[in-house]
Amino acid sequence: SERVAELQEENIKLREEKSFLEGSLKETEERRNALEEEKAKTEKQAEELRSNMLRKVEGFGAMLVEMKKSLDVLEEKQSKVELMSTELTTRHMNVLLRNVIDKVPQKWE
């Protein structure tokens, strides 16, 4: 009878331990599931960020191409203006030189 009491007491302790372990297992599974959900959300957010950044980089690339084209056009226009300015200066100098020549008395021998 003493042995039966010991076995019953041990059985109660084992049931309590089993219950505790089952509770701990359930908590651990719940935490693991929550972490898996958080991981999935984080991965989705990371993918969205990567996708957004890629779109921005592609947009900046296209913008740089357009800026380069505009810069090329401006440089071409600047070259034309500089050429026209040089031609006008040359013409102006020729006119001034002609005026000076016209004012200097010519000696014909």
Side-chain angles (χ1 to χ4, degrees):
S1 98
E2 192 177 308
R3 178 77 178 132
V4 170
E6 285 177 5
L7 289 174
Q8 284 177 341
E9 191 177 314
E10 189 175 329
N11 190 23
I12 291 171
K13 287 181 182 178
L14 287 173
R15 283 184 186 173
E16 289 174 353
E17 188 175 342
K18 178 184 174 194
S19 177
F20 172 78
L21 290 174
E22 285 174 342
S24 294
L25 178 63
K26 184 177 179 184
E27 284 179 25
T28 302
E29 287 175 345
E30 288 172 355
R31 279 188 278 166
R32 189 194 72 187
N33 289 339
L35 287 172
E36 288 290 332
E37 287 176 15
E38 188 66 30
K39 177 185 172 190
K41 286 179 187 176
T42 301
E43 287 174 348
K44 182 180 177 185
Q45 289 173 343
E47 178 58 28
E48 288 173 358
L49 283 173
R50 189 189 71 74
S51 179
N52 287 341
M53 291 305 247
L54 187 59
R55 276 195 301 276
K56 285 181 181 179
V57 166
E58 289 170 351
F60 285 136
M63 190 170 69
L64 285 173
V65 167
E66 290 304 313
M67 291 173 89
K68 174 71 171 114
K69 287 179 184 176
S70 296
L71 184 60
D72 290 346
V73 168
L74 287 174
E75 287 176 348
E76 186 178 332
K77 286 181 180 179
Q78 182 182 7
S79 292
K80 288 179 181 177
V81 166
E82 287 173 353
L83 182 62
M84 287 173 25
S85 174
T86 302
E87 288 176 0
L88 286 174
T89 301
T90 302
R91 286 183 193 158
H92 184 250
M93 292 301 286
N94 284 339
V95 167
L96 288 175
L97 187 58
R98 215 168 276 292
N99 285 340
V100 168
I101 290 172
D102 288 346
K103 288 180 183 177
V104 172
Q106 298 285 330
K107 289 191 177 180
W108 296 101
E109 294 187 25

